[in-house]
Structures are given as structure tokens and as C-alpha cells.
Amino acid sequence: MLSNCLLKFGVLRPLGCQIGQFRGAHTPVGSPQKGYKVVVVGGGAGGCSTAARLCRQVGKGNVAVIEPADYHYYQPMFTLVGSGIKKLENTQHPMSEVLPSNCDWVKDKVTAFDPENNTVTTQDGHKINYDYLVVSVGLQLNYNKIKGLEEALASDPMVASNYSPMYVNKTYNAMRSFKEGNAIFTFPNTPIKCAGAPQKIMYLTEEYLRTSGKRDKSKIMFNSPLGVLFGVKKYADALWKVVEKRGIDINLKQNLVEIRADKKEAVFEKLDSESKEKVTYPYEMIHVTPPMSTPDVLQQSPLVNEAGFVTVNKLNMQHTKYPNVFGLGDCTDIPTAKTAAAIASQNAILANSFKAVMNGQKPTGNYNGYTSCPLITSRSTCILAEFDFDGQPLETFPIDQGVERTTMYHLKKDVMPEVYWKMLLNGRWAGPDLARKLMHLGTGK
């Protein structure tokens, strides 16, 4: 029923349609050109979707995407992989199949940005000139920033992390191996991608332990350095009801600083303590969300602020200093949650800004900060959080989305992956604004 509704309003196309079908093998260029009209750094959701749009504007051979990875992952599905609902192979496609066929794929890594001279340098020693640059390199996972964590992930089967394809399968194995004790779920003291994911796997683990008869022998804990459960009050209030109903312990203002795998202990620093008091919890299972940052090479460039994020105009994605540089996604300082849903809106606005600048005009973007976080609370329910720059709900459907619903679960599990693979990566999906207006009788609210 939900899929039919989305088809009716043009939000989802039939799965056999020409738009969005993968284009077949895309062989990386052996020796990239010395110069391109557009260079896109990053082959994730932001880079891929933007490259597709810009290729349609400037034509074949004029856009290069620099990306070293062999595979593109649909990271929003990692929660479902970690809970045993999906397989890791469901989340990936070869990079050669998702990059636009009209671009040159430079299978390499950028080692230096030089916006003063309009060049980037790659690991293989290529110096590539550009007229316009798009930066969408995402965030890097800094497991090494927590003492003992990398060693624990390698040696302890009960230490897991859904954020990396290297470790995501450990989560479900730990859930099944759990006998009794503490199951701890952490949130880092840094910006992260998909800030709802650390809670989603907690709810799915609690449900699994309950249905497998282990819940009365377990204590579920969520330890976060934040002072709130979720950043948007409407959805935070809904989540507090979930944790209270299910007997989950919430410890705010606590930041994970060490894992002692030999003792099966997790050490947290209490951020509301002037003396930086530490508290230690034994664990039977622990799911760790690692600290994150922009990649090191970006932090060393003149494109970023003091925190290491690319500085762009939040309304139109244009760099605040270099007018021929644009950025989108997790690596930018755009003040909204870092999700694929945000990229859907941003890539369309960036393409319009690029066209304006290329024609000698000023970009007139109007990004409202739209982002979305489908907060899965069980294997059949989900709270679909959608909000703007100000943390105000910006909901697509004409119902209260601050309620656990089965329809929203299937939207997350079954519909959103198809939209991602078939439309977003091809630059054919600009977010649900049109659907929202239609469902709210033109008001968009």
C-alpha cells in the first residue's frame, strides 16, 4: 500500500524502469587527463549523485570522479545487517556500476588540495587541474581514538560496531552469543553520520534478547556524551517513551575512552564532572560507535574550518572562499544531521548553483536543512524523523510521524534502498519536497 502511494505521487518508479538501472562495467581510466571541467572528489552518495547531475550539464569526458574504493556501500542498511535482517552483500555494488558512465573514474586517492591553483594531487602522483571542484569525501572512522578498541574488535567477539563493513557482521553474532550481563551501546563525543544508528541497534538487540528469553538476564545501557537522547524534541520525547517501556538504562554525559578486552570492561569519562571522573562498567556485549572526523588530507587543506569541515554556504553549497569549489554531505559544515537523506536535497541544489556560477551568475540556493533519520525501534516498527535546520519537524506524510509505525519500518527496509540505488545515485532524486506538498495539499508542512 505504501509503495503504491509513492508510485502514485512519483516518489518511486517501478523497479524495471530505465532510470536507475545499473549501467554495466565502468573501467577506471589508466591515466587521467591533466584537466577537467569538473573534478568530484569522493564516490559516495554525495559524489556519485552530483557527478551524475553535472555530467548531464557538461557532457561526457568533462567530469572526473576520484575514488579509490572498489565497492559503494549503502550504509543506512548497516543497522539491518548488524541485526541479522539483511546481509552485507545487500548493501554493496561495484563502484564501476554506480558511477555515471559519462564521467572518468580516477581510481586513486587525493593526497593534496590546492584551490589557489585549481589542482588536486593523487597518491599515484597525478596532478589534475579543474575549472570546478566538488568535495564530498564523507567522514573517516577513528577507532584508534579509543584506547584498546581496535585490539578488542580484533580479539573479542562480543565487541562490535555497525559503522564499518569490517565489523558489522560481529553485531548479530554477539547478539546470538549473549548469555547474561550488560549490553552497552555507545555514542562518541564527535559529529557522526546517522546519529540515530547507535540507538537503532540497541532497540533491535533488546527485542532480540526479549524474544529469545534472555532479557531478564540482561541490562541494556545507552551511554552518550550528549545531554539529550535525540536532538529534535518531538522525536526525543517519543524515544524516551520507548526506553522507559522497555526498561533501558540511559546514561547521558558519559563518553567512552577505553575498552579493556582482557577484563571485559568499558571505561567512560563523566563529562559533567569537573575532575573528569571515570566510571567502569563490565560488559557481556558492547556496540561501539567510533569517533569520526573528516579525512586527514582534507583537514590539512585550506578548504576547511578549525574543526576540519569544508566551509560552504548552507543554502547553496558554494564554498565561502573559493567560488569555483562546492561541497556537500558529511564532510561539510552544513548545520544539519549527516545522512543520505540530506544529500538528496543538497545534490540538486548544488547542481543548480554550479549552473548559475558557470553562467556567471550568483547561486540562489534555498536549502532548508531537510534531513531524515528512520529510527527503527523493532523488527516491525519505526519512527520516521524528518526535520530542518532549526530542529523543527518537516514531515512528508500527513500523519504523526512521532509514533512507532509498521508502515515506516517497511519504508525504511524495503522502499528507501530502491530509491537510493535506482534514483539517488543517478541524480534523479532530490528529496521528498514534492511528495510533501502533494500530501499536505500544497502547503509543504
Side-chain angles (χ1 to χ4, degrees), residues 4-319:
N4 290 336
C5 178
L6 292 171
L7 284 166
K8 178 179 178 181
F9 289 111
V11 178
L12 180 65
R13 296 175 182 269
L15 297 189
C17 68
Q18 185 175 0
I19 292 176
Q21 289 180 338
F22 293 115
R23 292 165 286 272
H26 185 337
T27 305
V29 295
S31 180
Q33 299 176 24
K34 291 184 178 180
Y36 289 89
K37 189 77 172 177
V38 183
V39 168
V40 178
V41 182
C48 190
S49 59
T50 302
R53 288 182 181 275
L54 300 190
C55 279
R56 291 195 287 270
Q57 290 192 32
V58 300
K60 186 174 182 177
N62 290 312
V63 177
V65 177
I66 305 177
E67 170 55 59
D70 292 312
Y71 288 93
H72 179 111
Y73 287 94
Y74 177 52
Q75 296 178 52
M77 194 179 284
F78 283 2
T79 292
L80 300 180
V81 176
S83 56
I85 297 170
K86 295 281 190 177
K87 301 293 185 182
L88 182 59
E89 52 264 32
N90 298 143
T91 71
Q92 67 184 43
H93 280 287
M95 191 66 67
S96 61
E97 293 184 358
V98 300
L99 290 176
S101 58
N102 286 335
C103 79
D104 280 1
W105 175 21
V106 181
K107 192 175 184 295
D108 203 346
K109 182 179 180 180
V110 170
T111 56
F113 292 88
D114 185 1
E116 297 290 345
N117 295 296
N118 296 331
T119 65
V120 294
T121 303
T122 71
Q123 196 168 51
D124 287 349
H126 297 294
K127 183 169 285 190
I128 303 173
N129 297 295
Y130 59 80
D131 293 335
Y132 301 93
L133 175 69
V134 177
V135 183
S136 185
V137 293
L139 296 180
Q140 69 182 17
L141 307 176
N142 297 320
Y143 287 100
N144 61 313
K145 298 294 185 182
I146 298 175
K147 184 179 179 181
L149 177 56
E150 289 182 310
E151 296 81 359
L153 284 165
S155 64
D156 190 342
M158 301 303 284
V159 179
S161 178
N162 282 352
Y163 274 85
S164 169
M166 291 177 58
Y167 306 124
V168 64
N169 282 324
K170 292 189 69 183
T171 307
Y172 188 49
N173 291 333
M175 288 166 59
R176 291 184 294 177
S177 300
F178 187 97
K179 294 182 175 60
E180 60 180 350
N182 292 337
I184 304 175
F185 300 82
T186 75
F187 194 103
N189 197 20
T190 66
I192 67 169
K193 49 187 172 182
C194 193
Q199 287 188 58
K200 299 175 193 180
I201 191 59
M202 174 182 69
Y203 299 128
L204 289 165
T205 301
E206 190 279 335
E207 180 192 38
Y208 178 85
L209 296 180
R210 182 162 27 90
T211 56
S212 60
K214 303 175 183 178
R215 184 65 179 92
D216 60 343
K217 298 180 181 179
S218 66
K219 184 175 183 179
I220 310 294
M221 304 169 60
F222 183 67
N223 291 16
S224 169
L226 303 179
V228 294
L229 186 58
F230 192 75
V232 179
K233 185 178 185 304
K234 173 176 180 175
Y235 307 116
D237 290 346
L239 292 171
W240 274 114
K241 293 178 182 178
V242 174
V243 300
E244 289 168 0
K245 178 176 65 176
R246 293 162 69 168
I248 296 172
D249 286 14
I250 306 297
N251 298 310
L252 301 178
K253 295 290 186 177
Q254 292 194 13
N255 181 45
L256 179 67
V257 294
E258 183 180 359
I259 296 285
R260 299 168 180 164
D262 56 335
K263 299 179 180 178
K264 295 187 74 69
E265 292 179 344
V267 182
F268 293 82
E269 183 177 273
K270 300 181 74 171
L271 299 184
D272 57 359
S273 168
E274 293 184 5
S275 61
K276 295 186 178 180
E277 177 187 352
K278 290 184 173 61
V279 58
T280 300
Y281 300 97
Y283 68 82
E284 165 72 359
M285 168 190 176
I286 185 168
H287 176 275
V288 179
T289 302
M292 301 180 199
S293 68
T294 53
D296 294 338
V297 64
L298 190 58
Q299 295 181 46
Q300 299 161 7
S301 80
L303 297 172
V304 301
N305 59 19
E306 292 181 358
F309 290 86
V310 180
T311 56
V312 299
N313 183 310
K314 70 176 185 178
L315 302 179
N316 59 39
M317 318 299 130
Q318 185 182 36
H319 197 273

